[in-house]
Amino acid sequence: MKLQRKNRLRATALGALAVSGALVLTACGSDDNSGSTGGDGGKTSAASNIKCDDAKGQLLASGSSAQKNAMDLWVKNYMAGCSGVEVNYKSSSSGEGIIAFNQGTVGFAGSDSALKPEEVAESKKMCKGGQGINLPMVGGPIAIGYHLEGVDNLVLDAPTLAKIFDTKIKKWNDPAIAKLNSGVKLPDKDIQAFHRSEDSGTTQNLGKYLGAAAPNDWKYEAEKKWPAPQGQAASGSSGVAAQVKQVDGAIGYFELSYATSQSISTVDINTGGAAPVEATSENASKAIAAAKIKGTGKDLALELDYTTKAEGAYPIVLVTYEVVCDKGNKPETLSTVKSFLNYTAGDEGQKLLSEAGYAPIPAEINAKVRETVASLS
């Protein structure tokens, strides 16, 4: 059953990524929009029901690599529906995206964690008369990918994961891992634990999970910078996934679509519930559905429950935000920002997420996102 589900997710993710691959150059900033159809200013594109409004020119954005695969699909569809518009999303990291946003070099930033108070304060210099706010746009599981020859199914829990990433557990046949995997022949092989080299919201969300679910074994603060002193580093979710794919004995963390598109095995998580939970979009949605809005005003930052034991709820989840000004957005890109984010938060844009291995934002929260997008000024 698990293999069938993984094959299904892999197929949908590969199909979605194949579509986006055809426009990789366009999404990265090509000036060739000859394939665009429909979409005059103030009208709805007949081709894809995208409301282009007064969108025009070039919109630059950057940040989270976890949402890159979703953003590629969104950019491809949006640019096909709105002629004369170029959206260029640079996949880097959450930290770099927020820096670029607060420097005023991008129309919006992608971040896997909500703005900190000091980042909000900094944003007020750029958002004239307003401040940066968090709009939840992409949900999904942080997959724990591994490469261990001869082991196709692996179960771990939060304390064991914490010790692995803190290099306290060094061998794959450690008794703590063996106890969770009765009947599995685990090799006497060194564990190669990979983490992100740059500031990353994915790192911070993994830290929040480990700190909440394994407080006795993970003593670090949940920060974007990897906190543990050891382990091996790689750049971006793609870099960590590539290392796990190549190195026998490796383990790492990245957004699920990186695992499905590269056929990387993922860990099932023992939450203390009835059965270990697989990293799937559906299982992540069950955890995200319980999220509560903790932001105030137009800020829609969410509070997630990383210790959930709900049946079938995968606990290592992230929500990626698009960071914008509530007031004081740059006039030359405001219309395009609103049009693009209205599409990504709309039914059509959110539907693509499940097909690409992500989890849509719960409908009640998403309705507030659209309302907030409409009010941006």
Side-chain angles (χ1 to χ4, degrees), residues 1 21 45-46 56 91 131 147 156 223 258 270 273 285 306 321 326:
M1 183 63 71
S45 164
K56 60 185 181 298
S91 171
Q131 67 179 48
H147 179 175
L156 297 173
E223 299 290 349
Y258 290 92
N270 183 336
S285 292
Y306 296 100
Y321 301 94
D326 57 354

Side-chain angles (χ1 to χ4, degrees), residues 167-189:
T167 63
K168 297 294 193 296
I169 291 179
K170 302 179 183 295
K171 292 281 190 177
W172 277 110
N173 62 348
D174 187 275
I177 301 177
K179 185 177 180 180
L180 293 163
N181 294 273
S182 178
V184 176
K185 187 176 180 180
L186 297 166
D188 182 16
K189 186 183 292 293

Side-chain angles (χ1 to χ4, degrees), residues 211-299:
N216 294 327
D217 299 291
W218 191 256
K219 301 295 187 179
Y220 305 104
E221 292 294 323
E223 299 290 349
K224 292 176 185 174
K225 183 177 180 62
W226 181 254
Q230 300 185 60
Q232 302 181 60
S235 178
S237 293
S238 59
V240 175
Q243 291 297 321
V244 172
K245 175 76 172 178
Q246 295 169 12
V247 178
D248 186 18
I251 189 169
Y253 58 94
F254 30 80
E255 191 278 324
L256 179 63
S257 68
Y258 290 92
T260 54
S261 64
Q262 298 186 51
S263 301
I264 297 172
S265 297
T266 60
V267 171
D268 291 353
I269 300 299
N270 183 336
T271 64
V277 185
E278 185 181 359
T280 68
S281 299
E282 295 88 345
N283 292 344
S285 292
K286 293 175 184 177
I288 295 172
K292 294 179 172 57
I293 295 174
K294 66 176 181 179
T296 58
K298 293 184 179 180
D299 185 79

Side-chain angles (χ1 to χ4, degrees), residues 87-107:
V87 180
N88 186 331
Y89 181 83
K90 179 185 176 183
S91 171
S92 51
S93 69
S94 299
E96 292 176 52
I98 290 173
I99 289 172
F101 175 76
N102 280 340
Q103 290 176 341
T105 61
V106 295

Side-chain angles (χ1 to χ4, degrees), residues 104-117:
T105 61
V106 295
F108 70 88
S111 177
D112 304 332
S113 55
L115 293 168
K116 294 180 179 179

Side-chain angles (χ1 to χ4, degrees), residues 58-71:
Q58 185 183 62
L59 172 61
L60 300 178
S62 69
S64 163
S65 65
Q67 70 170 356
K68 176 188 183 297
N69 295 331
M71 192 61 71

